[in-house]
Amino acid sequence: MERTVVRCAEGHVFSTTSFPMQQAQRLGPGRLVRCPKCARLRSAVPVGIETLETLETH
């Protein structure tokens, strides 16, 4: 299974294997996923490579 790095509405960055319907453009990029940091269902969006590189340098 492919893992997807996402950011929840609270700003937590984590990876998940269950990011449903990634290819559904008409629904937009956000999905409800349980955030492991705040333990709640949050709207989450995929994190781009550029953002990951910025996070790693800080």
Side-chain angles (χ1 to χ4, degrees):
M1 258 187 163
E2 187 175 319
R3 297 189 70 79
T4 304
V5 179
V6 296
R7 179 188 308 266
C8 82
E10 294 293 316
H12 303 131
V13 177
F14 58 96
S15 67
T16 181
T17 56
S18 61
F19 199 69
M21 300 189 317
Q22 266 185 308
Q23 306 304 321
Q25 295 294 334
R26 64 187 174 94
L27 297 176
R31 301 289 179 270
L32 282 178
V33 178
R34 185 169 306 279
C35 175
K37 305 271 181 161
C38 53
R40 294 184 173 197
L41 280 177
R42 299 280 188 202
S43 176
V45 294
V47 175
I49 301 273
E50 304 83 26
T51 306
L52 287 176
E53 291 171 350
T54 304
L55 289 173
E56 289 177 353
T57 58
H58 289 260

